[in-house]
């Protein structure tokens, strides 16, 4: 996905399993950063996880590099 097509904020959700962890790892490799702690809930059958991720702002990145 092109850099300008990526959303600045995403909320990943799914069963708390290896696949969910792989999805989070993949977006981190794309340049996203974790935003806050993960959340867990139980839907009556399984544990469901959620993790917010954000792309760092170019302006903030430039300030931090200076």
């Amino acid at each position: 996905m092109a850099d300008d097509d990526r959303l600045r904020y995403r909320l990943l959700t799914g069963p708390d399993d290896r696949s969910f962890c792989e999805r989070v790892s993949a977006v981190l490799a794309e340049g996203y950063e974790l935003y806050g702690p993960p959340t867990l809930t139980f839907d009556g059958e399984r544990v469901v996880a959620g993790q917010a991720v954000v792309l760092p702002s170019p302006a903030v990145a430039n300030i931090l590099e200076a």
Side-chain angles (χ1 to χ4, degrees):
M1 184 178 291
D3 284 348
D4 55 2
D5 291 339
R6 295 186 295 173
L7 297 171
R8 302 252 326 121
Y9 172 88
R10 291 176 64 184
L11 177 63
L12 305 173
T13 61
D16 184 24
D17 59 12
R18 181 181 178 93
S19 175
F20 178 77
C21 295
E22 289 171 348
R23 289 175 45 221
V24 173
S25 295
V27 298
L28 294 176
E30 292 174 9
Y32 282 88
E33 296 178 354
L34 299 176
Y35 184 78
T39 185
L40 297 173
T41 190
F42 183 69
D43 70 2
E45 296 179 17
R46 61 188 177 178
V47 175
V48 178
Q51 177 63 61
V53 294
V54 295
L55 280 174
S57 170
V60 171
N62 290 337
I63 291 170
L64 295 176
E65 291 173 5

